[in-house]
Amino acid sequence: MPGKKRWSVWRWLSAAGALAFGAVVYTYLTLPDVRPLATTNPKTTAFMDLRARESEHDGKAFQFDQRWVPYSRISPNLKRAVLAAEDSAFWQHEGIDVEQIRVAVQQAIDKGIVPRGASTLTQQLAKNLYLSPSRDPLRKLRELIITRRLEAALSKQRILELYLNVVEWGDGVWGAEAAARHYFGVPASALSRPQAALLAGALINPRRYNPGRPPKRLLRRQQIILARMGTVESPAGGKPAPPPAEASLPLDDDAAKEPGAPGVPLGTKPPAPEPPAEAAPEAAAAPTAPPA
């Protein structure tokens, strides 16, 4: 009898292993081919399709404003601000920031919570382009594999260009050009440092925070980002200088984060630093009101 029980357990484990292996193989074989993105802009994304379905379900018209612009026509201020807020090690890692994952896991162990954050900008792009906001393990596996494919097939500059053109910046507002014109009445190429920092800060929950009429919490994030925008942008024709170690934003607003929204890198929680002295007058300026 004990021998039959052991045989049954072995058969059950073998079947479970075969199913798991089959799921991994199926996941890998059904992943999208990302190579066309090197030269072709996507017409839609998984997140855009999701918002369209939500609008249809609610009986509302789907609002869609996206205006594609090349990398050269996006303000360096916005590039620096988004990287300072979302992925300060973007130019150094290969799609997955192992150090941030280690910090996230350690914080989860210390606080007894489920690990959150630590998603790189490339991971966020993979999710926005092809996946859903769900947190199931199979979706996460797909995200990691797509991330590695994106990093292998595309340049860092192209990955950042794609991200800044497809990321959600409010209800019906997609990408840097649409966001700049919607909230500040200027093209993406003309965004100032304070405006760029507000847009980057709103990414934690773009459907809640309005960069054109920022609440106090978003203004606080703006100040943190302004103080940390320094060296995350890659110099033209050269290798980027490593960003300062404290460039990651603290998770001071995790409760406001919408499921599936881009994540703020994990880090310690120091008091919000004051903006540099030379940036203080500009940072204190009120954002330009959106056009009528």
Side-chain angles (χ1 to χ4, degrees):
M1 195 67 170
K4 288 184 178 181
K5 286 185 178 180
R6 284 197 297 269
W7 176 244
S8 297
V9 170
W10 174 250
R11 290 179 62 185
W12 184 88
L13 291 174
S14 298
L19 287 173
F21 179 76
V24 171
V25 171
Y26 174 79
T27 297
Y28 187 83
L29 293 177
T30 56
L31 290 173
D33 182 5
V34 304
R35 291 172 296 179
L37 291 175
T39 56
T40 305
N41 299 330
K43 295 181 180 179
T44 187
T45 70
F47 266 56
M48 292 175 187
D49 295 340
L50 172 64
R51 298 308 184 209
R53 292 193 300 271
E54 289 175 346
S55 296
E56 182 180 2
H57 179 269
D58 295 337
K60 300 177 181 178
F62 177 52
Q63 299 180 359
F64 182 84
D65 184 6
Q66 183 194 33
R67 316 176 196 193
W68 198 281
V69 287
Y71 186 84
S72 60
R73 287 173 52 195
I74 300 175
S75 170
N77 291 323
L78 185 61
K79 298 168 189 173
R80 281 192 285 266
V82 168
L83 293 182
E86 297 295 319
D87 188 357
S88 61
F90 174 73
W91 298 107
Q92 285 78 46
H93 64 64
E94 296 181 355
I96 299 170
D97 193 336
V98 177
E99 176 59 20
Q100 286 291 346
I101 293 175
R102 185 194 66 77
V103 172
V105 171
Q106 186 60 51
Q107 288 187 342
I109 293 173
D110 293 343
K111 298 179 181 180
I113 59 176
V114 178
R116 301 188 66 173
S119 288
T120 66
L121 187 144
T122 314
Q123 287 176 262
Q124 295 177 34
L125 177 61
K127 179 171 61 178
N128 284 337
L129 285 173
Y130 301 113
L131 304 171
S132 73
S134 72
R135 294 178 175 272
D136 68 87
L138 196 56
R139 189 210 62 83
K140 192 65 178 179
L141 175 62
R142 289 172 63 84
E143 176 189 305
L144 294 175
I145 298 175
I146 294 172
T147 295
R148 296 296 299 129
R149 288 188 172 186
L150 287 170
E151 289 277 343
L154 310 178
S155 68
K156 284 286 191 179
Q157 179 173 307
R158 177 59 172 166
I159 290 172
L160 183 53
E161 178 185 22
L162 287 165
Y163 178 90
L164 290 174
N165 274 284
V166 304
V167 71
E168 185 177 30
W169 249 306
D171 287 332
V173 182
W174 303 89
E177 184 71 11
R181 293 185 181 276
H182 179 80
Y183 294 116
F184 305 117
V186 300
S189 60
L191 285 166
S192 67
R193 293 179 75 251
Q195 290 169 343
L198 282 172
L199 286 174
L203 285 173
I204 191 173
N205 194 330
R207 305 181 80 191
R208 172 174 176 173
Y209 291 139
N210 184 334
R213 297 180 179 86
K216 290 182 180 179
R217 189 167 282 178
L218 180 53
L219 289 172
R220 184 172 72 243
R221 291 180 60 78
Q222 177 199 36
Q223 295 305 306
I224 298 172
I225 294 168
L226 283 169
R228 299 181 179 184
M229 282 169 61
T231 57
V232 293
E233 166 68 15
S234 177
K239 194 172 176 115
E246 67 274 12
S248 293
L249 288 174
L251 268 180
D252 60 344
D253 200 17
D254 199 48
K257 182 178 172 184
E258 179 185 11
V264 176
L266 286 166
T268 56
K269 196 171 181 180
E274 294 296 325
E278 66 275 13
E282 184 184 16
T288 306

